[in-house]
Amino acid sequence: SDLQKQEERGELLQPLIFVLLVLCSILLYFKVSLMDPGFVKPEEEVKEDEDKGQGVVIPQIPGDVKLRRCGYCLVKQPMRAKHCQLCQHCVRRYDHHCPWLENCVGERNHPLFIVYLSVQLVVLLWGGHVAWSGLYFEQSREWLQHNVFLLVSFFLIFIFTIVVLLLLVSHLYLISCNTTTWEFMSHHRISYLQHSELENPFDQGIILNLWRFFC
């Protein structure tokens, strides 16, 4: 492959960058999967009551929507929170539960999840190029036996690249609209969206939506 030829010539910069990207992708995976996605904790409700008593300004909920207690963990659910039955917690700004991470994607880890997908996409595209550069085509049975591993690797990389690309594009679109996967898929069942005069009451324009999400 191209990386192998560069390594043999003593040009280690690109192979080193590739290895670092792979390690970065692995570290991001564990970081996103192990961190708190924004679990709603009972002690936060006590702090909120104290803030009200001290006259601290708390954002008001538009319309006739009332905050309700979760029927599973009995905490008062903030706006845009949802209970995840797999994690057994309510998650702030709940997006979805990712089976690949075995964790929810929510308020705290959603930006890092986007970074992880971006790094993963770069690794997959580069890995696909490396696999393709190692192939030389001949119509013989021996060639197929010697290159079957590279062919399978390239096919798997291609499938994963399509999946990650579609996932990244769909998330960036939802972020630009300031909505979540859960809100997008279950718009008709969510009370604060049903009672809103606007189709998406959180949308503040693409630039401001992206700025508030990432910054």
Side-chain angles (χ1 to χ4, degrees):
S1 69
D2 288 345
L3 289 183
Q4 187 177 3
K5 291 176 183 177
Q6 289 177 353
E7 185 181 358
E8 290 172 354
R9 294 196 300 264
E11 300 172 3
L12 299 178
L13 181 60
Q14 287 196 25
L16 182 61
I17 293 174
F18 180 75
V19 172
L20 289 176
L21 277 174
V22 173
L23 290 175
C24 180
S25 174
I26 294 172
L27 290 174
L28 282 169
Y29 170 80
F30 283 109
K31 175 67 175 177
V32 177
S33 62
L34 295 175
M35 73 181 294
D36 179 356
F39 294 135
V40 182
K41 299 171 184 175
E43 56 266 25
E44 294 176 1
E45 186 177 334
V46 177
K47 185 178 184 302
E48 183 180 329
D49 292 337
E50 291 176 351
D51 290 340
K52 286 181 180 178
Q54 294 171 3
V56 177
V57 177
I58 297 173
Q60 297 298 313
I61 302 167
D64 300 326
V65 182
K66 294 182 179 179
L67 289 180
R68 66 182 186 88
R69 288 196 176 275
C70 174
Y72 296 96
C73 53
L74 301 179
V75 297
K76 188 183 289 184
Q77 281 188 337
M79 180 69 73
R80 310 186 80 179
K82 182 184 181 297
H83 184 87
C84 175
Q85 296 191 23
L86 295 172
C87 292
Q88 294 297 311
H89 283 286
C90 285
V91 180
R92 292 179 179 274
R93 202 180 181 279
Y94 175 86
D95 189 86
H96 70 286
H97 182 91
C98 181
W100 175 247
L101 296 172
E102 274 300 320
N103 192 15
C104 282
V105 175
E107 185 178 69
R108 294 189 62 187
N109 65 348
H110 199 173
L112 206 58
F113 177 71
I114 299 300
V115 175
Y116 164 68
L117 288 180
S118 303
V119 174
Q120 188 68 52
L121 182 61
V122 173
V123 169
L124 286 168
L125 289 172
W126 198 344
H129 171 73
V130 171
W132 183 260
S133 68
L135 286 172
Y136 60 95
F137 295 96
E138 292 181 5
Q139 293 182 350
S140 66
R141 187 173 179 180
E142 291 183 358
W143 176 88
L144 185 61
Q145 290 176 345
H146 283 92
N147 291 272
V148 65
F149 178 74
L150 273 177
L151 287 171
V152 172
S153 299
F154 182 79
F155 177 75
L156 290 175
I157 288 172
F158 177 77
I159 296 297
F160 282 120
T161 300
I162 296 299
V163 171
V164 172
L165 179 62
L166 291 175
L167 192 59
L168 180 60
V169 170
S170 64
H171 272 275
L172 288 175
Y173 168 74
L174 293 175
I175 291 167
S176 69
C177 300
N178 197 2
T179 189
T180 64
T181 302
W182 173 57
E183 290 171 343
F184 181 78
M185 300 294 292
S186 306
H187 189 279
H188 60 287
R189 296 193 292 112
I190 301 174
S191 59
Y192 59 80
L193 295 180
Q194 287 178 333
H195 294 85
S196 173
E197 296 178 357
L198 302 173
E199 184 177 353
N200 180 11
F202 306 108
D203 188 7
Q204 296 179 310
I206 295 176
I207 296 176
L208 192 56
N209 290 338
L210 292 172
W211 174 264
R212 291 195 168 184
F213 180 85
F214 287 107
C215 306

